[in-house]
Amino acid sequence: NCAMLDSVAVVNDTTGILTVFALNRSATDALPLTIRAPGAAMWKLLDHTELSHADPLAKNSADNPGHVAPKPALVPAALTADGWHAVLPPASWNVLRFQSLRPL
């Protein structure tokens, strides 16, 4: 399943915001994502946005332009002993933004 999950993280040194982009390419399986950032407890989750739909073939149209749209994650990432953990819905694109609680 790891081959079905792609992710990348970037930190803005000016704002102290860590942004994680994660793509679950599996059409059928939800996949776990764990973000193991140094001092994970020193990061506050600002938001977790996902783009997904129960029907992986769903699309927007002129009659229904917002049928598939980004929305807050139903179950946002949570801090665990291993770091920040989320379960990404099948065929989803996710953006998680964290604010550093200490100077970078």
Side-chain angles (χ1 to χ4, degrees), residues 5-71:
L5 178 66
D6 293 316
S7 63
V8 64
V10 294
V11 174
N12 182 317
D13 291 333
T14 303
T15 64
I17 292 179
L18 167 69
T19 303
V20 178
F21 300 93
L23 173 67
N24 179 352
R25 294 185 291 124
S26 172
T28 57
D29 298 327
L31 295 178
L33 171 71
T34 300
I35 302 163
R36 291 184 178 96
M42 295 305 297
W43 294 90
K44 174 186 174 188
L45 180 66
L46 296 175
D47 49 61
H48 177 175
T49 303
E50 68 183 38
L51 178 63
S52 65
H53 195 282
D55 176 2
L57 300 178
K59 58 185 175 184
N60 293 337
S61 66
D63 293 334
N64 194 356
H67 186 62
V68 180
K71 62 187 178 299

Side-chain angles (χ1 to χ4, degrees), residues 33-45 48 75-87 96 98-99 101:
L33 171 71
T34 300
I35 302 163
R36 291 184 178 96
M42 295 305 297
W43 294 90
K44 174 186 174 188
L45 180 66
H48 177 175
V75 180
L79 185 59
T80 68
D82 292 335
W84 285 92
H85 181 75
V87 177
L96 299 91
F98 301 87
Q99 176 68 58
L101 300 176

